[in-house]
Amino acid sequence: MLLFAQDRASTLSFDFPLSRTAALERLAAFVPEAGRTYAERRGQDAGPGRHQAVSRLSASLRRRLISEEEVARAVVTAHGSDAAAKFLQELFWRTYWKGWLEQHPTVWRTWQQACAYYLDKIPAGYARAVAGRTGIDAFDGWVQELCDTGYLHNWARMQFASIWVFTLGLPWELGAAFTLTHLVDADPASNTLSWRWVAGLQTAGKYYLADAQRIQRQTGGRFNPQGLATQAHVPRETSVIETRDLLPPTPIDLRAPTLLLLTPEDLSLETQSALDALPVARVVACRSHCHGAADIAAVADGLQRASSHWQVPAAWLDDLGDVAALANTQSLTQIVTGYAAVGPTADALAEHRAMSVLRITEYRRSWDERAWPLCRKGYFAFAKSIPMLLAAAGIGSSEE
């Protein structure tokens, strides 16, 4: 499959917090800036290694080394929900995209099919684009930064996607595959749906057209791109988007002898009090679920913490077949893992379920249980529920 044909940045030159301890330290350092300072400076792209105006927690949040709820609680406690409103809106985009894709999984499958199609029909200009040889200084600079560091400022990602689609005329699906492959914080939902939004496919009548003067201003004059598209030719939607009801996770049996499976979808399950009584006998992770050095580092940290919490051995295994074999050998009747939202881990779990009789159950956090049903329509309709969602998590006016 094209999107995982390459390893993500194996040299982590950008300062990513890839352990829970590092994530909590990064959060503590960022919290004082999360109010009005963040709102004023968040759109500034200062260049590689100098993205001090944003939290830089995305690699941790993507793997749930630290949770959205923990971050929201810390920020609201420090600033109140009004002063922190802009940061909270950005934080909830992650939740919204996941909830939306859970209810529209055909978008993920259609994107995969498009990537497979282009394996044999790579369009002209693609090779120059991914090599950073387009002659558009901002785009080429961002390609270099992405490949060198595994990161781009979120604002830069929008410009990058817009130039890819509207100026270079390349398929958005290949652009989404390129960034999903290289971003250390790559999230299947946020990545896929953000590309669709920029391209004008996610929300009717909405697209994002990069502007040369804005790029020059927001990058402090580092770039002065020439020849950008001044009109957006929105790609044609190639399939019908189907909506499904939000599927409940398979219930966990809190009495069944359990093998706990950690994946990059949720690496702090030991923080969930609902799982404290779970009779965990072993903790494992699969190498096949890791797509690069960042995943490996984060999962290793998760294994160590889970092993310590439940006081059981931890091990790396190759794949889900090995997980099932170990569970059978140890007479463990249940595999429990953190909920895998639509994406490659969910695909792997579904494929294994179709071939195995061993019970695989998933734990879905209350944060997602409350928010995802509200993610059927556009983000701004969803955003009206942010105060309610914060209050339901015990975050809000009583703490301000």
Side-chain angles (χ1 to χ4, degrees):
M1 188 67 183
L2 178 67
L3 62 161
F4 295 129
Q6 306 174 59
D7 192 10
R8 291 196 184 122
S10 57
T11 302
L12 300 177
S13 56
F14 188 84
D15 180 23
F16 294 103
L18 292 171
S19 70
R20 179 163 169 81
T21 296
L24 290 170
E25 291 173 349
R26 173 65 57 80
L27 174 61
F30 170 70
V31 161
E33 311 299 318
R36 291 185 175 86
T37 300
Y38 173 83
E40 293 169 358
R41 299 176 55 210
R42 55 179 284 274
Q44 299 173 6
D45 177 6
R50 296 189 294 274
H51 301 296
Q52 307 300 322
V54 293
S55 73
R56 295 172 294 146
L57 282 166
S58 54
S60 307
L61 285 165
R62 186 269 172 271
R63 297 168 177 86
R64 274 190 165 155
L65 289 163
I66 192 171
S67 70
E68 295 91 332
E69 182 173 339
E70 290 175 294
V71 173
R73 190 179 304 280
V75 168
V76 171
T77 298
H79 298 279
S81 56
D82 288 342
K86 178 51 68 175
F87 177 78
L88 291 170
Q89 288 172 9
E90 296 302 312
L91 181 69
F92 271 96
W93 268 106
R94 176 181 301 275
T95 299
Y96 169 75
W97 284 139
K98 281 185 176 293
W100 193 93
L101 193 58
E102 277 298 294
Q103 295 166 92
H104 304 85
T106 54
V107 170
W108 172 255
R109 292 195 294 271
T110 300
W111 171 73
Q112 290 177 307
Q113 291 164 2
C115 289
Y117 168 82
Y118 286 119
L119 277 173
D120 297 321
K121 297 178 175 61
I122 299 296
Y126 174 82
R128 290 193 303 276
V130 298
R133 296 198 306 267
T134 67
I136 301 171
D137 61 359
F139 184 90
D140 293 347
W142 286 322
V143 169
Q144 188 70 47
E145 180 179 358
L146 176 59
C147 292
D148 286 349
T149 72
Y151 184 83
L152 284 181
H153 187 288
N154 188 62
W155 176 86
R157 299 180 197 199
M158 293 173 58
Q159 319 310 309
F160 182 90
S162 179
I163 295 170
W164 178 287
V165 173
F166 298 127
T167 298
L168 301 179
L170 293 170
W172 74 267
E173 296 95 338
L174 289 183
F178 181 66
T179 53
L180 186 68
T181 299
H182 287 87
L183 286 168
V184 171
D185 62 5
D187 175 86
S190 295
N191 186 74
T192 305
L193 301 180
S194 294
W195 272 88
R196 282 177 52 84
W197 187 88
V198 168
L201 296 172
Q202 188 64 22
T203 304
K206 301 288 186 182
Y207 55 83
Y208 187 84
L209 196 60
D211 177 79
Q213 290 184 337
R214 187 182 302 118
I215 291 174
Q216 185 178 35
R217 182 174 64 252
Q218 296 299 103
T219 61
R222 286 170 33 240
F223 298 128
N224 183 26
Q226 303 297 310
L228 300 190
T230 57
Q231 289 185 321
H233 297 288
V234 175
R236 183 174 61 88
E237 187 71 85
T238 57
S239 63
V240 176
I241 298 176
E242 299 176 359
T243 301
R244 75 175 184 190
D245 291 334
L246 193 63
L247 300 178
T250 305
I252 295 172
D253 184 346
L254 291 175
R255 297 169 297 177
T258 296
L259 186 150
L260 185 68
L261 170 64
L262 296 186
T263 78
E265 303 303 314
D266 196 326
L267 292 173
S268 58
L269 290 174
E270 79 283 354
T271 66
Q272 300 301 291
S273 59
L275 298 178
D276 279 346
L278 193 65
V280 175
R282 297 289 294 269
V283 180
V284 300
C286 291
R287 296 181 183 91
S288 62
H289 293 154
C290 294
H291 303 288
D295 277 354
I296 292 171
V299 171
D301 178 70
L303 280 174
Q304 183 179 38
R305 283 182 285 103
S307 174
S308 176
H309 180 79
W310 276 283
Q311 293 294 294
V312 296
W316 282 96
L317 301 175
D318 285 336
D319 54 33
L320 286 170
D322 290 340
V323 173
L326 177 61
N328 285 325
T329 300
Q330 300 291 317
S331 299
L332 305 177
T333 58
Q334 174 180 245
I335 298 172
V336 173
T337 190
Y339 189 84
V342 170
T345 303
D347 290 345
L349 291 174
E351 182 178 352
H352 182 77
R353 282 193 183 99
M355 299 184 298
S356 174
V357 297
L358 190 63
R359 178 182 171 89
I360 298 180
T361 66
E362 295 175 273
Y363 174 76
R364 190 156 70 199
R365 293 178 182 240
S366 56
W367 180 272
D368 300 329
E369 291 281 4
R370 291 188 291 259
W372 286 0
L374 306 174
C375 299
R376 280 182 171 247
K377 297 182 179 179
Y379 174 77
F380 294 105
F382 167 75
K384 294 177 182 178
S385 299
I386 289 177
M388 178 270 289
L389 292 170
L390 291 173
I395 304 168
S397 57
S398 62
E399 300 181 28
E400 295 177 22

